Amino acid sequence: MDVVSYMVWFVVAILGLFIGSFLNVVIYRLPRECLSVWKQTRSRCPRCSVQLRWFDNIPLLSYVVLLRGRCFNCGKRISMRYPLIELFTGLVFLALLGIDLDADRIAWFDLTDPAWRVFAVHALVASTLIALSVIDIDHRILPDAITKPAIVLAPALAFLVPAAVPSSFWRPFAMGEWSANLNALANGVVSAAAASGFLWSIGWLGSKAFRKPAMGLGDVKLFAGMGGLLGPWFLLVLVVASFVGSLIGLVVMAIRKDRYVPFGPFLAFGMMVVMLRGEAIWKLVMTWLAPR
Ligand SMILES: [Zn+2]
């Protein structure tokens, strides 16, 4: 690898760490509505309420080197999850870089290259899903403050960067310079409506059958956002999420004896897999189902 490539990998890793640090703020503050995500207040120690110094906020480094996992003032242990979420986000960004751009494009580092736009969309979606998943695990909710804007933003992103999502079979706009963009938009809008209707009906049937709410409205809104971005591919997300979710769910229930397993993280995983490799998965499924 040449110097430029190393630089690009390094900068993307640092970017991922800082986004991860911001996600920690979102995850902590968003469900606690008295705290603002955007207001410029530095994080405080939950025990002694001392404000962290600016250099305590450097992702990963502060935790490991400066603080050694403790509050500098009162010595209370700071949860491992903060550096872990930063690290995870950094690794996801690196993985996406490797998936979306080949070695030549990274070495060339031309930001007008459309592949960078694809990477930007994937990184944005991944970041949103990380925040949603952790909040779902912590509080068993998917906050409206994220899911509602996502429903509007998703078809807009599909329109702006259609290459970021698998292409759909329904192509009402066959001709013209903008046909790919308009097709992605049309698929997104129709699928957002279909996804919410579909999932809401399943939830409704489930609540009738089990006499308690089977699915939160948060899941429905997240699904609408997924449909808005992926078009009809949202159905494959449900398949992947249910498959992985039931496998891991069984293990978790066996270990923890806890009946509740949040579905959000599995939807997030399914969303990433289908967004990145939906067409390949579909081909695989079709090969299995094909008569021999
Ligand atoms: Zn403290």
Side-chain angles (χ1 to χ4, degrees), residues 32-49:
R32 297 168 173 84
E33 276 166 5
C34 50
L35 295 167
S36 162
V37 168
W38 301 108
K39 232 186 231 162
Q40 288 281 314
T41 49
R42 257 182 262 137
S43 304
R44 289 172 182 281
C45 167
R47 181 158 87 183
C48 69
S49 292

Side-chain angles (χ1 to χ4, degrees), residues 169-175 182-184 186-187:
F169 311 106
W170 179 53
R171 298 193 181 96
F173 302 94
M175 306 276 237
L182 291 169
N183 283 330
N187 275 285

Side-chain angles (χ1 to χ4, degrees), residues 100-101 105 110-121 161 163-164:
D100 288 335
L101 289 107
R105 290 183 132 135
D110 173 11
L111 282 176
T112 60
D113 184 339
W116 280 103
R117 257 169 276 161
V118 171
F119 170 76
V121 171
V161 194

Side-chain angles (χ1 to χ4, degrees), residues 195-218:
S196 37
F198 178 63
L199 224 73
W200 185 84
S201 332
I202 293 181
W204 185 79
L205 282 174
S207 59
K208 284 282 167 214
F210 303 112
R211 291 174 189 281
K212 60 171 185 173
M215 195 160 9
L217 272 179

Side-chain angles (χ1 to χ4, degrees), residues 5 43 59 65 74 94 97 102 104 107 149 162 167 169 176 195 222 266 283:
S5 297
S43 304
V65 180
C74 71
L94 289 180
L97 179 66
D102 52 37
D104 289 340
S167 59
F169 311 106
L222 175 56
F266 300 111
K283 267 187 201 142

Side-chain angles (χ1 to χ4, degrees), residues 116-140:
W116 280 103
R117 257 169 276 161
V118 171
F119 170 76
V121 171
H122 289 169
L124 176 66
V125 172
S127 305
T128 311
L129 291 173
I130 291 171
L132 278 176
S133 298
V134 182
I135 292 174
D136 194 21
I137 293 170
D138 279 357
H139 303 275
R140 306 186 177 186

